[in-house]
Amino acid sequence: MRSFDQWFNSLPDEAKEMIPLNEKPHLNLINYLWVNNILGSKESSSIPTVEDLLSWITDGEIEAKRG
Protein backbone atom coordinates (compact mmCIF):
# COMPACT_ATOMS: atom_id res chain seq x y z
CA MET A 1 0.00 0.00 0.00
CA ARG A 2 1.04 3.55 -0.64
CA SER A 3 0.56 6.56 1.55
CA PHE A 4 -1.53 9.42 0.26
CA ASP A 5 1.63 11.49 -0.19
CA GLN A 6 3.25 8.77 -2.31
CA TRP A 7 0.18 8.63 -4.53
CA PHE A 8 -0.08 12.43 -4.67
CA ASN A 9 3.53 12.66 -5.87
CA SER A 10 2.75 10.24 -8.74
CA LEU A 11 0.03 12.53 -10.14
CA PRO A 12 0.52 14.88 -13.08
CA ASP A 13 0.80 18.56 -12.15
CA GLU A 14 -2.70 19.45 -13.38
CA ALA A 15 -4.22 16.85 -11.03
CA LYS A 16 -2.06 18.00 -8.11
CA GLU A 17 -3.42 21.52 -8.54
CA MET A 18 -6.96 20.23 -7.87
CA ILE A 19 -6.07 18.95 -4.39
CA PRO A 20 -6.02 21.62 -1.67
CA LEU A 21 -2.78 21.51 0.30
CA ASN A 22 -4.08 23.29 3.39
CA GLU A 23 -6.86 20.78 4.16
CA LYS A 24 -7.61 17.09 3.85
CA PRO A 25 -8.90 16.28 0.38
CA HIS A 26 -12.37 14.80 0.22
CA LEU A 27 -13.00 11.25 -1.00
CA ASN A 28 -15.21 12.59 -3.80
CA LEU A 29 -12.26 14.48 -5.28
CA ILE A 30 -10.02 11.41 -5.01
CA ASN A 31 -12.71 9.32 -6.73
CA TYR A 32 -13.00 11.94 -9.49
CA LEU A 33 -9.24 11.81 -10.10
CA TRP A 34 -9.31 8.00 -9.94
CA VAL A 35 -12.03 7.70 -12.60
CA ASN A 36 -10.43 10.43 -14.70
CA ASN A 37 -7.11 8.55 -14.66
CA ILE A 38 -8.78 5.26 -15.59
CA LEU A 39 -10.76 6.79 -18.45
CA GLY A 40 -7.75 8.73 -19.65
CA SER A 41 -5.61 5.58 -19.68
CA LYS A 42 -3.03 7.19 -17.41
CA GLU A 43 -0.24 5.02 -16.07
CA SER A 44 -1.39 2.67 -13.35
CA SER A 45 0.79 4.28 -10.66
CA SER A 46 -1.57 7.27 -10.63
CA ILE A 47 -4.59 5.05 -9.93
CA PRO A 48 -5.05 4.26 -6.22
CA THR A 49 -6.04 0.73 -5.26
CA VAL A 50 -9.04 -0.02 -3.10
CA GLU A 51 -6.58 -0.91 -0.33
CA ASP A 52 -4.92 2.50 -0.73
CA LEU A 53 -8.27 4.30 -0.44
CA LEU A 54 -9.34 2.31 2.60
CA SER A 55 -6.01 2.95 4.32
CA TRP A 56 -6.17 6.69 3.61
CA ILE A 57 -9.71 6.85 5.03
CA THR A 58 -8.98 4.85 8.18
CA ASP A 59 -5.68 6.66 8.79
CA GLY A 60 -7.37 10.05 8.37
CA GLU A 61 -5.27 11.10 5.38
CA ILE A 62 -8.41 11.99 3.42
CA GLU A 63 -11.90 13.07 4.50
CA ALA A 64 -14.62 10.54 3.72
CA LYS A 65 -17.68 12.17 5.26
CA ARG A 66 -19.27 15.55 4.98
CA GLY A 67 -19.15 17.77 8.04
Side-chain angles (χ1 to χ4, degrees):
M1 274 184 292
R2 295 178 288 179
S3 71
F4 176 79
D5 289 335
Q6 289 170 323
W7 174 74
F8 178 81
N9 290 328
S10 75
L11 294 174
D13 288 339
E14 63 270 8
K16 287 179 184 177
E17 292 173 2
M18 296 179 69
I19 298 176
L21 296 178
N22 56 347
E23 58 187 59
K24 287 184 192 176
H26 197 273
L27 180 59
N28 288 343
L29 176 58
I30 304 303
N31 284 338
Y32 171 80
L33 292 171
W34 185 12
V35 170
N36 189 44
N37 288 342
I38 291 171
L39 294 176
S41 299
K42 306 287 186 198
E43 71 177 67
S44 61
S45 68
S46 66
I47 301 171
T49 65
V50 171
E51 290 82 11
D52 290 336
L53 290 171
L54 182 58
S55 173
W56 301 342
I57 292 167
T58 57
D59 292 344
E61 293 182 85
I62 64 173
E63 185 63 54
K65 61 183 177 179
R66 297 269 179 207

